[in-house]
Amino acid sequence: MYAYEAAAGIDFDEPTMATNDVDLFYTASKQMKFAEVVPGRRSMIEVLQEADPSFFRNEEQKESAMNGQGFSIDFLRREEAEKFTDAFSISGAEGDIYPVKAKRSNRFLGSPSFEQVVIAVDGSMTLIRTIDPKTFMEFKEWMSGVPDREVLKRNRDKLQALAVKQLLAEGRLISRL
């Protein structure tokens, strides 16, 4: 959403932006890459704790790391079978994150990327690489109709889908699909 609002030159309202989590896709084939980039066989939790010492694994949802303020990072993986079909720890360490298979994840992974430079309040800049806005909109429309999803999340999904749909219709966001 941050990339889309920066690209469109607008600010989404608070209910549309309200979230306490981020989802990251993790591919089993990248397990070896993680071991190379993060030497010493440290766990993903330890890596996150370098940024914020309050991070811990959510024992009820082992794919999630949470910090002391309730912000969570959910690690997802492809829904269809990959080399590793069973649950696995990102680092191989006991007590680390276990990415969970995400429904419709192949739609995300097959989508063209969308890149946008964003500027923080303090003036620092970063590049956000996310999925094509049309893919995002379609996914959020689908999520807003999943009956066993929490009502608040379904409502937010619907708001986000409508906001991105409007920006696409106005030509303020461009889909590569």
Side-chain angles (χ1 to χ4, degrees), residues 106-120:
N106 287 333
R107 180 74 174 108
F108 277 129
L109 299 172
S111 173
S113 64
F114 182 88
E115 296 179 344
Q116 178 63 42
V117 173
V118 295
I119 303 171

Side-chain angles (χ1 to χ4, degrees), residues 11-172:
D11 289 320
F12 291 121
D13 63 12
E14 191 174 322
T16 302
M17 294 298 285
T19 188
N20 280 332
D21 74 339
V22 65
D23 297 334
L24 298 176
F25 276 103
Y26 187 84
T27 306
S29 62
K30 292 187 180 182
Q31 197 166 16
M32 293 302 294
K33 195 102 151 144
F34 178 78
E36 291 172 16
V37 174
V38 183
R41 300 288 294 167
R42 293 184 307 166
S43 69
M44 180 57 74
I45 291 294
E46 290 171 324
V47 171
L48 293 172
Q49 287 172 340
E50 284 186 24
D52 179 346
S54 71
F55 267 109
F56 62 95
R57 181 176 76 176
N58 180 344
E59 293 304 322
E60 293 176 15
Q61 297 176 311
K62 295 182 178 174
E63 72 275 8
S64 298
M66 294 183 77
N67 72 5
Q69 289 80 40
F71 182 81
S72 68
I73 302 173
D74 300 330
F75 290 84
L76 311 174
R77 62 186 179 123
R78 288 180 188 269
E79 183 177 28
E80 67 181 37
E82 44 184 11
K83 183 179 175 186
F84 300 105
T85 56
D86 295 329
F88 61 89
S89 161
I90 288 178
S91 66
E94 187 65 33
D96 201 9
I97 300 295
Y98 283 74
V100 66
K101 291 183 180 182
K103 292 180 180 176
R104 299 182 69 167
S105 59
N106 287 333
R107 180 74 174 108
F108 277 129
L109 299 172
S111 173
S113 64
F114 182 88
E115 296 179 344
Q116 178 63 42
V117 173
V118 295
I119 303 171
V121 175
D122 67 1
S124 61
M125 298 187 312
T126 192
L127 177 70
I128 293 181
R129 182 176 293 128
T130 188
I131 61 171
D132 186 89
K134 186 173 180 191
T135 300
F136 178 85
M137 178 207 59
E138 291 169 350
F139 183 77
K140 288 297 188 165
E141 284 177 339
W142 173 75
M143 288 293 288
S144 71
V146 173
D148 61 344
R149 188 159 167 80
E150 295 173 39
V151 173
L152 290 175
K153 289 183 178 182
R154 285 197 329 247
N155 290 339
R156 185 191 65 227
D157 293 334
K158 188 172 187 82
L159 284 173
Q160 291 176 342
L162 289 171
V164 172
K165 187 176 197 168
Q166 181 177 349
L167 293 175
L168 286 165
E170 294 172 357
R172 296 178 86 175

